[in-house]
Amino acid sequence: MLLEETPDRVLAVYGHPDDAEISAGGTLARWAGEGAEVHLLVCTKGEKGSQDPGQDTEALAALRVEETGRACERMGFAGHEHLDHLDGELDN
């Protein structure tokens, strides 16, 4: 289904950092550019997003929040929040 009109407000809810940008970033950025108030909610910390076994997980989680903020700013989103559930431990 193609949404012909730009919504007034959007809440994009995703499990992990980067999910929104990868799966629907173009649409969300277009809507923001057309005047929609776009907010992003990320449910996990993203602390397991590294192949390095020595990675400081808290530092990685903080980096993911920073990266999300920069991406949201670049795409014109109104804001973003992180729920800080542990990565891989979010119940369906």
Side-chain angles (χ1 to χ4, degrees):
M1 179 177 141
L2 178 63
L3 184 60
E4 303 266 339
E5 296 180 23
T6 301
D8 292 330
R9 285 179 301 233
V10 177
L11 175 60
V13 181
Y14 287 90
H16 305 94
D18 298 336
D19 285 356
E21 296 91 322
I22 291 168
S23 66
T27 299
L28 295 170
R30 179 174 56 88
W31 285 344
E34 292 174 352
E37 181 182 323
V38 179
H39 294 268
L40 174 62
L41 176 64
V42 179
C43 297
T44 64
K45 296 169 76 167
E47 80 283 3
K48 294 183 183 174
S50 173
Q51 300 296 323
D52 179 1
Q55 173 70 52
D56 178 334
T57 58
E58 289 304 313
L60 182 57
L63 177 61
R64 295 292 188 244
V65 171
E66 183 181 320
E67 290 171 341
T68 299
R70 286 195 312 259
C72 287
E73 184 177 321
R74 181 162 288 192
M75 293 193 297
F77 293 5
H80 66 95
E81 294 291 329
H82 291 251
L83 294 181
D84 292 334
H85 290 285
L86 295 177
D87 197 354
E89 298 184 25
L90 186 63
D91 290 331
N92 287 331

